Amino acid sequence: MAGKKKNQILPEGNVCKKNDILIMEITDMGAQGEGIGRVEGYTLFVKDAIPGDVARVCVMKTKKRFGYARLLEILTPSNDRVEPCCPVARQCGGCQLQHCSYQRQLLWKQEKVRNCLSRIGGFTEIPMEPIIGMDNPYHYRNKAQFPVGTDSSGRIIAGFYASRTHNIIEHTDCAIQHPCNRKILDTVLEFMRGYRISAYDEEKHTGLVRHILTRVGVVTGEVMVCLVINGESLPFSNVLAERLMKLSMQNTESGENVEFRIKSIVLNKNTDRTNVILGSKVTVLYGQEYIDDWIGDIRYRISPLSFFQVNPRQTKRLYETALEYADLHGGEIVWDLYCGIGTISLFLAQKAAKVFGVEIVPQAVEDAKRNAALNHFDNVEFFAGAAEEIVPQQYEMRIENRRADVVTLDPPRKGCDEKLLQTVVQMEPEKIVYISCNPATLARDLRYLCDRGYGLKRVRACDMFGQSYHVESVTLLQRKDI
Ligand code: SAH
């Protein structure tokens, strides 16, 4: 009915046209955090606006059923509107929701999960538990990569790429990055300016320093600085190492009482004409080639090239929830699919008889094995390969391991392959714990499983990326016949 009414009001999409200036109320929020409003039944998406705002906008692009407009001015702000703490929040595009109160962000994320489960998954009773929010939704990222370049006057700068371009906007004080970064960046830039070390020029493929990468162990306080260079070596590198070593970085902003120390200074060689940030060769300038950090009671070794969760505090909470949902008692066989560097596998191995992890990236499997050894686990085994191939093969081959008491799934945004879900159903685990970064594919996959003998028992969203539109969630499915 509603669709019919809309079509009547919509005269072939020409309610408005490009460059029209309109006043409109924002009534909804889209999947990427953009504001949505309607003008005579015609839908407009307005980036940087939130529900409750009345705004003056300029129409940028129209399509038959919807269009895009640019926010010009807020006439009446939404009650949820706050002043972004970062002066370049709009240009950057890294944070889509800084202008929205954190409470409202959390509510929106929770509802996004609920809506997907109901609209896409067709679930009517959704056992939602309250979203796990962050204590401090700023300065939470433990990994940063800043491009280095020059401004129009030739001065060396570092910052971020302006949305959809490779123009560097100077900014060394990112609101979601760890506060250590600022001192590190300022030190490297001052060194480069003083010793005339050139910055990389992407167009000409000349100049030396391409990116400055930092990784921070938020529990251990260990910090890594990695310079990505278009060359073999960095002149005067001992001077830079000495200056970085002298930095004292007591972090108070994110509530940590940890003294941060630089434990590792490395060079990464990338002489290719590419926008891939890292090359494959790493050399140590000072200290170790890695830093360590902890998530809960498990220690991880992080090298410049290895994957690690960017918000370890919330990761801990997310995985604790997964562990609670799995409700292990010590005798279980668990399959952890899409296991990455084994973060969830090792969490589960603390309470299970045996954990099998499956991951497609061989390097991540190597890291997973090393992390298992570092923490003295002998009840985990990892397979490198696509889950939809490995799991059916193992199911066919290894009679004794056909049994799975619990299966955990943590796929990338596109969700699980149907062949894998089919095998998981055949394995008949009592519980399936599904961790997801995309509620739409989560809803699709849960529907598949719930049509084949499982019931949706618990759902909880978790905010790993404050100020962004991303939302993680963990769900528990239980086999119905037990
Ligand atoms: N559970 C992990 C990471 C999950 S991210 C952790 O907590 O760290 C999703 C992972 O799935 C990535 O590591 C990605 O490399 C992997 N992956 C993607 N497609 C896959 C497939 N078809 N089979 C197995 N792993 C896959």
Side-chain angles (χ1 to χ4, degrees):
M1 280 307 280
K4 221 174 177 185
K5 200 170 159 206
K6 210 189 263 179
N7 286 340
Q8 280 166 3
I9 297 171
L10 208 169
E12 292 304 308
N14 61 0
V15 160
C16 53
K17 57 182 190 312
K18 191 173 171 180
N19 294 331
D20 278 357
I21 308 272
L22 308 168
I23 290 177
M24 65 186 293
E25 183 179 356
I26 304 298
T27 50
D28 208 348
M29 213 189 255
Q32 317 248 304
E34 67 280 47
I36 301 177
R38 285 180 183 80
V39 179
E40 294 180 44
Y42 183 68
T43 302
L44 281 174
F45 289 90
V46 189
K47 196 172 128 345
D48 306 314
I50 52 171
D53 282 340
V54 176
R56 206 158 61 84
V57 305
C58 176
V59 177
M60 307 292 289
K61 189 173 176 182
T62 55
K63 294 188 176 189
K64 197 163 179 190
R65 299 171 67 89
F66 59 87
Y68 299 92
R70 192 161 61 87
L71 177 66
L72 296 177
E73 188 189 355
I74 300 284
L75 301 175
T76 314
S78 159
N79 288 337
D80 298 311
R81 181 165 275 282
V82 295
E83 189 60 39
C85 67
C86 172
V88 289
R90 260 186 97 174
Q91 284 157 284
C92 166
C95 296
Q96 302 85 31
L97 294 173
Q98 261 196 39
H99 52 279
C100 179
S101 74
Y102 188 56
Q103 278 314 311
R104 186 69 178 82
Q105 290 182 28
L106 289 179
L107 188 65
W108 175 72
K109 290 184 186 195
Q110 174 161 298
E111 290 314 299
K112 188 171 170 182
V113 174
R114 192 200 301 275
N115 285 338
C116 284
L117 291 178
S118 105
R119 282 194 214 157
I120 302 170
F123 292 96
T124 46
E125 277 168 41
I126 301 168
M128 288 292 288
E129 295 166 23
I131 185 166
I132 308 169
M134 295 166 53
D135 297 336
N136 177 2
Y138 296 101
H139 299 295
Y140 56 82
R141 281 186 64 99
N142 62 1
K143 176 185 177 185
Q145 19 201 40
F146 297 90
V148 181
T150 45
D151 66 10
S152 52
S153 67
R155 197 171 137 270
I156 291 174
I157 56 168
F160 59 87
Y161 293 125
S163 225
R164 287 191 231 127
T165 74
H166 268 209
N167 301 332
I168 298 172
I169 295 190
E170 183 174 9
H171 190 60
T172 56
D173 194 16
C174 173
I176 56 169
Q177 293 291 357
H178 200 275
C180 280
N181 287 323
R182 187 175 183 175
K183 278 190 180 175
I184 294 170
L185 285 181
D186 290 345
T187 306
V188 176
L189 292 176
E190 202 185 302
F191 160 77
M192 286 179 66
R193 289 170 192 144
Y195 283 81
R196 299 188 181 283
I197 309 288
S198 59
Y200 183 63
D201 180 321
E202 216 178 358
E203 264 168 39
K204 299 189 190 126
H205 191 49
T206 55
L208 189 62
V209 180
R210 300 172 76 128
H211 271 83
I212 303 167
L213 253 76
T214 60
R215 302 194 82 163
V216 180
V218 295
V219 177
T220 56
E222 298 182 2
V223 179
M224 169 183 286
V225 181
C226 170
L227 266 57
V228 184
I229 54 168
N230 174 36
E232 295 298 326
S233 61
L234 178 74
F236 308 106
S237 57
N238 55 332
V239 177
L240 176 66
E242 215 170 277
R243 289 188 187 176
L244 285 171
M245 296 310 304
K246 278 197 199 131
L247 292 181
S248 146
M249 298 177 290
Q250 187 79 39
N251 174 22
T252 46
E253 279 172 76
S254 41
E256 294 147 339
N257 198 11
V258 179
E259 175 75 36
F260 288 86
R261 303 166 314 280
I262 295 184
K263 273 268 183 156
S264 165
I265 306 175
V266 297
L267 291 179
N268 176 272
K269 180 181 156 194
N270 183 359
T271 49
D272 292 347
R273 210 177 189 132
T274 168
N275 50 26
V276 174
I277 296 177
L278 285 163
S280 56
K281 194 175 157 217
V282 176
T283 48
V284 177
L285 279 184
Y286 163 84
Q288 314 159 347
E289 196 184 325
Y290 58 85
I291 55 167
D292 282 349
D293 204 15
W294 296 81
I295 299 181
D297 294 330
I298 298 172
R299 185 166 151 211
Y300 296 89
R301 188 143 287 183
I302 308 162
S303 65
L305 299 173
S306 66
F307 169 83
F308 190 61
Q309 294 284 348
V310 296
N311 183 347
R313 282 194 203 91
Q314 286 302 94
T315 302
K316 175 169 177 274
R317 290 174 168 170
L318 181 73
Y319 292 173
E320 276 168 357
T321 310
L323 195 60
E324 183 192 321
Y325 283 12
D327 188 27
L328 301 172
H329 292 96
E332 292 88 349
I333 293 180
V334 182
W335 281 79
D336 177 27
L337 310 179
Y338 308 90
C339 72
I341 58 162
T343 330
I344 302 175
S345 318
L346 299 186
F347 242 71
L348 296 163
Q350 298 174 102
K351 297 264 172 74
K354 178 92 193 187
V355 179
F356 297 98
V358 184
E359 160 61 43
I360 203 164
V361 176
Q363 177 64 43
V365 173
E366 290 311 307
D367 285 350
K369 288 180 181 166
R370 200 184 47 189
N371 288 328
L374 191 69
N375 291 282
H376 312 293
F377 281 104
D378 53 12
N379 59 341
V380 282
E381 200 178 311
F382 294 101
F383 299 91
E388 60 274 20
E389 286 167 20
I390 301 275
V391 179
Q393 274 166 21
Q394 292 298 314
Y395 174 71
E396 290 304 326
M397 275 163 42
R398 296 168 58 152
I399 308 294
E400 78 275 21
N401 285 335
R402 278 189 179 186
R403 192 167 71 82
D405 300 297
V406 177
V407 168
T408 55
L409 301 163
D410 185 9
R413 292 189 63 76
K414 70 175 184 194
C416 297
D417 190 283
E418 193 174 319
K419 193 166 162 215
L420 172 70
L421 293 179
Q422 203 181 344
T423 312
V424 169
V425 169
Q426 286 170 347
M427 289 162 90
E428 296 187 331
E430 185 187 326
K431 297 189 187 93
I432 301 173
V433 179
Y434 194 137
I435 296 146
S436 162
C437 55
N438 183 349
T441 54
L442 169 75
R444 179 199 67 200
D445 292 349
L446 292 186
R447 174 42 56 209
Y448 181 96
L449 294 165
C450 288
D451 285 343
R452 289 162 183 79
Y454 285 86
L456 179 58
K457 294 293 172 203
R458 301 179 74 173
V459 184
R460 193 157 196 192
C462 177
D463 187 25
M464 307 271 274
F465 307 106
Q467 321 306 330
S468 85
Y469 63 83
H470 295 285
V471 57
E472 293 268 334
S473 56
V474 50
T475 38
L476 170 67
L477 301 182
Q478 186 131 21
R479 221 169 79 220
K480 277 184 185 153
D481 55 8
I482 24 179

